[in-house]
Amino acid sequence: MQPHVMQALNEWRITWDDQQLAAQEAFTAAFPALEPAYRCQCYGPTLRWEKPGEGQGKVCLDDHGRATVEFERVPKAAVGHAMKEIWGADWFDEGPGGFADAEPGSYHYDDESTYAEYAFDVHDDGTVTFGISYVKIDDIVAILDVLEQALAEHRAA
């Protein structure tokens, strides 16, 4: 490879690493419980969290600059509040009250225009496990921010 091409590629890699670090900082600003962890199948930076009574999960970046969030056993009221704030109610056929009032079951949506995938499992125990995959970083940050606020209200109650 020509020296000037190698230099340009090296500069791109440095910028890419800086962008990934900035994304992680945005994730943790929105959801402070996230901590650096071993990489997952996304092959990019991964952050994980676990908090008794609030659930656990991860946020990661893939090598295309898309983000994925996978959270398990998060209180249904908090997820319902966050999802209603972000999308309104009944985007996933969960009912007019949103996920806070959703019946136990699985709810899915695949966005054909962006290839994003959304999957929510509402459990009998009042929790939700969900995955939102292949979305823009700013969308995941918005979701994390609203979810953190909802969990803070849940903690205070």
Side-chain angles (χ1 to χ4, degrees):
M1 195 177 298
Q2 298 177 66
H4 72 282
V5 174
M6 287 177 34
Q7 176 64 31
L9 184 58
N10 186 49
E11 289 175 12
W12 172 83
R13 283 188 181 126
I14 291 169
T15 301
W16 179 251
D17 290 345
D18 289 346
Q19 287 180 335
Q20 289 185 331
L21 181 59
Q24 290 178 81
E25 290 172 356
F27 296 153
T28 57
F31 201 89
L34 290 167
E35 296 181 358
Y38 61 91
R39 291 178 187 253
C40 66
Q41 68 270 16
C42 290
Y43 303 110
T46 301
L47 302 166
R48 294 189 182 273
W49 72 285
E50 183 172 357
K51 195 163 192 178
E54 291 188 7
Q56 64 184 20
K58 71 176 181 177
V59 178
C60 58
L61 295 169
D62 66 17
D63 54 356
H64 298 283
R66 298 171 301 180
T68 293
V69 58
E70 294 177 355
F71 282 10
E72 300 174 16
R73 302 291 180 178
V74 180
K76 186 168 87 163
V79 173
H81 175 79
M83 297 303 103
K84 200 168 186 179
E85 287 288 315
I86 297 292
W87 291 298
D90 211 23
W91 275 64
F92 303 91
D93 296 326
E94 76 278 9
F99 283 100
D101 296 335
E103 293 294 321
S106 295
Y107 304 86
H108 301 274
Y109 175 71
D110 293 331
D111 186 335
E112 293 176 5
S113 66
T114 64
Y115 304 107
E117 299 173 3
Y118 304 83
F120 294 82
D121 292 318
V122 177
H123 305 291
D124 290 330
D125 67 357
T127 64
V128 178
T129 295
F130 65 93
I132 302 170
S133 304
Y134 317 119
V135 298
K136 296 184 304 182
I137 290 166
D138 52 343
D139 291 339
I140 292 291
V141 170
I143 291 163
L144 290 171
D145 181 47
V146 174
L147 183 59
E148 172 60 28
Q149 291 174 49
L151 286 170
E153 290 174 16
H154 178 77
R155 282 180 218 120

